[in-house]
Amino acid sequence: MYCVRKVTEDLYWVGANDRRLTLFENIHPIPRGVSYNSYLLLDKKTVLFDTVDWSAGRQFIENVEAVLAGRKLDYLVINHMEPDHGASIEEIILRYPEVKIISTEKAFLFMRQFGFSIDGRIEEVKEGDTRCFGKHTVTFVAAPMVHWPEAMVTFDTTNGVLFAADAFGSFGSLDGKLFNDEVNFDRDWIDDARRYYTNIVGKYGPQVQALLKKAGGIDIKMICPLHGPVWRTDLGYFLDKYDKWSRYEPEETGVMIAYASMYGNTEAAANSLATALVERGMTNVVMYDVSKTHVSQLISETFRLSHIVLASVTYNLGIYPVMHNYLMDMKALNLQKRTVAIIENGSWACKSGSLMRDFLENNMKQMTVLDEKVTLSSAMREDNLDEIGALADSIIESMKNK
Ligand code: FEO
């Protein structure tokens, strides 16, 4: 049975929700599912903007057929060719053989690489090109690396709707509520939106900044992303988040303590530091056991907060593997501009602190590693409490300059 939403008087959401998928991109947990958004414009010509993942193909086709109500599909605009949006292209071609596909040169290259038969039906567009579908005229804006190189966004100059591809998306299924003003985004969605952005697009901050600059020059009334709610009010709220995230600026002054502890001793130091920070008035403190927290969540929180404490045991004369993986992910996602404090532990040949400092200073950009650190030899002792206090003082002091 079809299940669609009206977006504007002649634009329909014809996407689908996926609550069965466990891991997005087979790597990121999505306990609240994800939506694959697709939009169908009924103008003089009929125009479909992007498709959905193949897993949602049945729902998608039912939706498209219901909204078309017997009309043929004239155009399919592909803003982003990653399979969570492009996988149903061939099904659309089979069902609507006269359809013309509008996209970028690189997207057509990818379609061929994925094995799609598109010859004779493609219309290549570049930045600034326009198409008139009747009442609606759209213009195409290149958005390379947001989040693949072929990506573009499409702006409807007639009504101010921006088809934003992966930009301004979020994890989470829609549960009937399509628009941002139908949900409490700041309460129920922002964590999933941040985890989506930081892990999926986070590496490409400069490219997102470039897109935001272009967006600043057009009068956007509505943002239709490929995942998550459609934005029709309070656009500035989300644009501001994207601006901060893509400049790698923290949203909040606060401390994330990420600890790797085998027998609870490094965790004890992390607990002491959290307590010392709160006693000094810094209550925006969160703690994560890196062995029990998915790295996508660690990354999201690292983007959110200004200060990070890395507390790690030494393992095989190196950094504890799960902590090392977190650091590698931070680097891969281009995270920068954080103040970091270190707690190290080792029963012999304690190395984790110097190795983490070296990683931060030599592999990442604009990371400030505090001089004070805490070194444990197997377990916390009474005299470590002085080091903990000094580290807490140092973190608080460093916040004064932020
Ligand atoms: Fe939602 Fe880059 O695909």
Side-chain angles (χ1 to χ4, degrees):
M1 183 61 191
Y2 68 86
C3 183
V4 303
R5 287 285 310 264
K6 202 166 185 174
V7 180
T8 68
E9 58 175 358
D10 49 9
L11 181 69
Y12 292 80
W13 178 87
V14 291
N17 292 290
D18 189 344
R19 300 180 187 83
R20 293 189 173 192
L21 188 69
T22 306
L23 297 173
F24 187 80
E25 293 184 345
N26 212 12
I27 186 167
H28 307 294
I30 44 168
R32 295 176 59 234
V34 67
S35 72
Y36 309 114
N37 298 340
S38 169
Y39 305 91
L40 182 51
L41 178 68
L42 300 182
D43 202 345
K44 190 169 171 200
K45 300 292 183 184
T46 57
V47 188
L48 184 63
F49 294 90
D50 296 291
T51 73
V52 302
D53 190 89
W54 186 240
S55 63
R58 177 182 168 188
Q59 176 75 72
F60 170 61
I61 291 299
E62 287 176 351
N63 289 348
V64 171
E65 283 184 347
V67 173
L68 283 175
R71 291 183 67 180
K72 70 183 175 76
L73 182 64
D74 297 305
Y75 291 102
L76 169 60
V77 175
I78 293 294
N79 287 298
H80 182 24
M81 193 31 226
E82 192 165 8
D84 55 332
H85 312 294
S88 300
I89 291 173
E90 278 220 309
E91 186 66 20
I92 289 293
I93 292 172
L94 284 170
R95 289 171 183 265
Y96 305 101
E98 294 173 53
V99 69
K100 293 271 189 271
I101 305 175
I102 298 174
S103 198
T104 62
E105 179 185 13
K106 201 157 265 171
F108 290 129
L109 170 73
F110 288 171
M111 285 178 214
R112 292 191 174 97
Q113 285 179 191
F114 279 108
F116 296 171
S117 306
I118 54 170
D119 289 344
R121 63 176 72 257
I122 65 173
E123 290 190 14
E124 191 181 308
V125 290
K126 296 188 185 65
E127 166 111 1
D129 286 354
T130 61
R131 285 285 188 283
C132 181
F133 300 122
K135 182 176 144 195
H136 293 263
T137 297
V138 302
T139 184
F140 304 101
V141 179
M145 301 319 298
V146 187
H147 119 256
W148 275 18
E150 89 300 354
M152 67 174 187
V153 299
T154 302
F155 182 62
D156 187 333
T157 56
T158 311
N159 59 5
V161 170
L162 178 72
F163 298 95
D166 267 348
F168 308 107
S170 176
F171 292 143
S173 58
L174 290 167
D175 301 352
K177 295 162 281 192
L178 178 63
F179 299 101
N180 71 295
D181 52 59
E182 296 173 331
V183 302
N184 187 332
F185 198 89
D186 204 48
R187 185 189 67 193
D188 299 333
W189 280 82
I190 188 62
D191 286 343
D192 265 329
R194 185 186 303 104
R195 198 162 58 84
Y196 166 84
Y197 172 83
T198 57
N199 287 280
I200 305 299
V201 196
K203 180 179 176 64
Y204 306 110
Q207 291 86 350
V208 173
Q209 277 289 308
L211 180 60
L212 287 173
K213 278 202 180 63
K214 291 182 194 176
I218 52 181
D219 187 18
I220 301 169
K221 299 276 198 313
M222 186 180 289
I223 298 174
C224 292
L226 288 177
H227 304 285
V230 168
W231 286 78
R232 65 181 178 186
T233 61
D234 205 11
L235 271 54
Y237 166 90
F238 212 28
L239 286 163
D240 181 60
K241 295 287 186 196
Y242 261 66
D243 183 44
K244 275 205 175 69
W245 294 336
S246 57
R247 286 186 293 111
Y248 303 98
E249 297 289 348
E251 287 168 69
E252 301 168 24
T253 299
V255 184
M256 170 192 179
I257 303 175
Y259 65 89
S261 185
M262 294 167 66
Y263 300 106
N265 294 300
T266 308
E267 182 180 8
N271 277 324
S272 287
L273 180 63
T275 304
L277 288 165
V278 173
E279 283 177 346
R280 284 161 175 74
M282 171 36 68
T283 55
N284 193 8
V285 177
V286 290
M287 296 180 62
Y288 292 99
D289 181 340
V290 296
S291 296
K292 294 181 69 176
T293 311
H294 193 272
V295 69
S296 67
Q297 175 71 10
L298 298 175
I299 289 295
S300 180
E301 288 290 79
T302 311
F303 269 73
R304 182 170 71 88
L305 293 166
S306 60
H307 286 64
I308 313 301
V309 177
L310 303 177
S312 179
V313 292
T314 303
Y315 198 85
N316 286 331
L317 294 182
I319 304 167
Y320 192 65
V322 189
M323 179 66 83
H324 190 245
N325 181 54
Y326 165 46
L327 283 164
M328 293 293 286
D329 221 16
M330 269 197 243
K331 180 192 168 198
L333 293 167
N334 206 17
L335 186 102
Q336 45 194 283
K337 302 181 185 171
R338 293 299 182 274
T339 300
V340 185
I342 287 174
I343 298 174
E344 62 179 352
N345 193 358
S347 293
W348 72 98
C350 183
K351 299 280 287 178
S352 57
S354 57
L355 290 171
M356 290 193 292
R357 172 181 287 275
D358 181 66
F359 188 96
L360 293 160
E361 291 181 341
N362 296 316
N363 289 283
M364 297 180 68
K365 297 174 200 157
Q366 300 186 62
M367 301 296 269
T368 304
V369 185
L370 297 177
D371 290 334
E372 290 77 10
K373 71 171 179 184
V374 174
T375 299
L376 307 183
S377 297
S378 302
M380 278 274 287
R381 294 187 314 273
E382 199 67 25
D383 56 345
N384 288 128
L385 289 174
D386 291 338
E387 288 179 61
I388 293 278
L391 189 58
D393 287 339
S394 179
I395 291 170
I396 299 287
E397 186 61 31
S398 72
M399 289 174 173
K400 292 179 182 161
N401 308 319
K402 297 287 169 188

